[in-house]
Amino acid sequence: MSNLHVIKKNILDNGIAAFHMVFSLYFIVFSLRILMAKDIFYGDQAVFKNLVGAAYKNDFILFLFFLPDEFFISLPVIGICLGVLLFVSSLFRLCNWRKFSLVGRWIFLFFWLILVLFFIRNPIVRSIHVDYLGWLALLNLFISFDRQESPDEVSFAAWCFFAGTYTMSGLKKLMTIEWRQGSAIELILKNEISRFDFSAQMTNMIHYLSPVLSYSVIFLELFALFFIWKRKTKYFLLGASFLMHLGILVLLRIEDLTIGILVFHFFLLTTILHQEKIVSLN
């Protein structure tokens, strides 16, 4: 059997190694984007640096905040190096060359620390996708690289976090008049973050579809916690959420947010496939 066929089979059999490849690629891109914007994040011209520094009260946090810029600039460089190591190591595991594995699960502690230190210095650029990324790093600390799937406790924690954030988001939407009126989707697509200038005919169609789409999003998010207890409803939640974020990726200029959440979707998919495998074996 060729190495290509071995990798294809092992992607299905070894979901954690496949996820680690996806995670490493995303973290490499995330770190590269920070490096490309280092003139904005660091130096005397850093966005709201003095204002943010004055807001911190904890002495240890202040100590970290005022570390030299060179230290913070080195963090994404380290992140890129660790991402490459994790990617290569995961590829070896997918090829069943485990003895050549370069790293262990400890690497995720460094990913998490890089995120924490970066956002201590730049809290105003923090977004929900960074919470997902940090949670993934913490969860993977508890998954041995010798395993082909995540432990049940880790899978359960991941689903609870995912569904919990969705339910909180749904509750916030219920308190927003635009979402209650059903006009939220229409307003978002008319916003400057939209990728397209819609024609009059399309705008009219969006106007009529907006209530259906807005209420569908509220329903999905609000009841997310009820969907995580059965395998079939997990598929529904994950599939519907994936389609929603795919639509966001296509229509809106917030790809950082969307891709980060889609990476979390991939991790959740590995937990369902593992559960499916157990059921089929029984």
Side-chain angles (χ1 to χ4, degrees):
M1 187 180 293
S2 68
N3 285 340
L4 186 61
H5 286 94
V6 170
I7 292 174
K8 184 178 179 181
K9 179 180 182 298
N10 285 341
I11 285 176
L12 297 176
D13 293 342
N14 193 344
I16 290 301
F19 165 74
H20 286 169
M21 291 183 71
V22 172
F23 180 92
S24 61
L25 287 173
Y26 181 71
F27 205 93
I28 288 169
V29 173
F30 175 80
S31 299
L32 282 171
R33 290 176 69 88
I34 293 175
L35 273 180
M36 292 168 62
K38 67 182 185 202
D39 292 338
I40 298 173
F41 292 138
Y42 307 112
D44 294 334
Q45 75 288 348
V47 182
F48 300 126
K49 178 180 178 181
N50 293 328
L51 183 62
V52 171
Y56 285 129
K57 304 301 180 185
N58 184 278
D59 290 340
F60 180 66
I61 299 296
L62 279 171
F63 166 76
L64 293 175
F65 180 83
F66 286 108
L67 285 171
D69 288 339
E70 290 74 18
F71 169 78
F72 289 100
I73 293 172
S74 71
L75 293 177
V77 176
I78 296 171
I80 291 169
C81 295
L82 292 177
V84 171
L85 281 174
L86 179 60
F87 180 85
V88 174
S89 180
S90 303
L91 184 59
F92 286 159
R93 286 155 56 208
L94 283 176
C95 295
N96 283 331
W97 302 336
R98 292 181 177 273
K99 62 181 179 180
F100 297 109
S101 185
L102 304 173
V103 294
R105 57 184 174 181
W106 51 264
I107 196 171
F108 284 96
L109 176 61
F110 290 97
F111 285 132
W112 183 78
L113 287 173
I114 287 170
L115 289 171
V116 170
L117 289 169
F118 173 74
F119 286 102
I120 283 176
R121 183 63 176 269
N122 300 280
I124 61 170
V125 297
R126 178 178 165 273
S127 179
I128 185 64
H129 75 285
V130 180
D131 294 338
Y132 279 91
L133 199 57
W135 191 240
L136 282 173
L138 285 178
L139 287 173
N140 278 269
L141 273 173
F142 299 94
I143 305 175
S144 170
F145 276 27
D146 294 328
R147 296 182 66 105
Q148 294 182 329
E149 72 289 321
S150 59
D152 291 341
E153 298 83 0
V154 172
S155 299
F156 180 70
W159 278 101
C160 284
F161 174 79
F162 178 75
T165 56
Y166 263 46
T167 297
M168 287 189 291
S169 176
L171 289 171
K172 288 180 180 178
K173 286 180 172 62
L174 275 180
M175 294 185 284
T176 306
I177 189 169
E178 291 82 6
W179 284 99
R180 292 200 306 271
Q181 290 177 342
S183 61
I185 298 296
E186 181 181 5
L187 294 174
I188 290 170
L189 291 176
K190 289 180 178 179
N191 194 283
E192 59 184 13
I193 62 172
S194 176
R195 295 185 187 276
F196 305 102
D197 293 323
F198 295 101
S199 64
Q201 186 177 4
M202 282 297 297
T203 301
N204 192 45
M205 184 185 300
I206 291 169
H207 175 73
Y208 288 106
L209 285 176
S210 182
V212 177
L213 295 173
S214 298
Y215 296 141
S216 297
V217 170
I218 291 176
F219 171 80
L220 181 68
E221 293 187 348
L222 198 60
F223 294 98
L225 278 172
F226 295 94
F227 293 136
I228 66 173
W229 305 104
K230 299 288 185 180
R231 193 173 72 257
K232 290 183 178 179
T233 52
K234 280 182 178 178
Y235 272 121
F236 167 75
L237 174 61
L238 198 62
S241 177
F242 173 80
L243 290 175
M244 178 176 72
H245 285 286
L246 190 62
I248 293 171
L249 183 64
V250 171
L251 295 173
L252 305 178
R253 296 189 183 94
I254 49 174
E255 56 275 0
D256 286 345
L257 168 74
T258 310
I259 295 175
I261 296 176
L262 289 176
V263 171
F264 202 98
H265 280 63
F266 188 88
F267 180 76
L268 294 176
L269 178 62
T270 66
T271 69
I272 300 182
L273 293 176
H274 170 59
Q275 194 176 8
E276 196 79 49
K277 191 194 305 183
I278 292 175
V279 171
S280 64
L281 289 174
N282 293 335

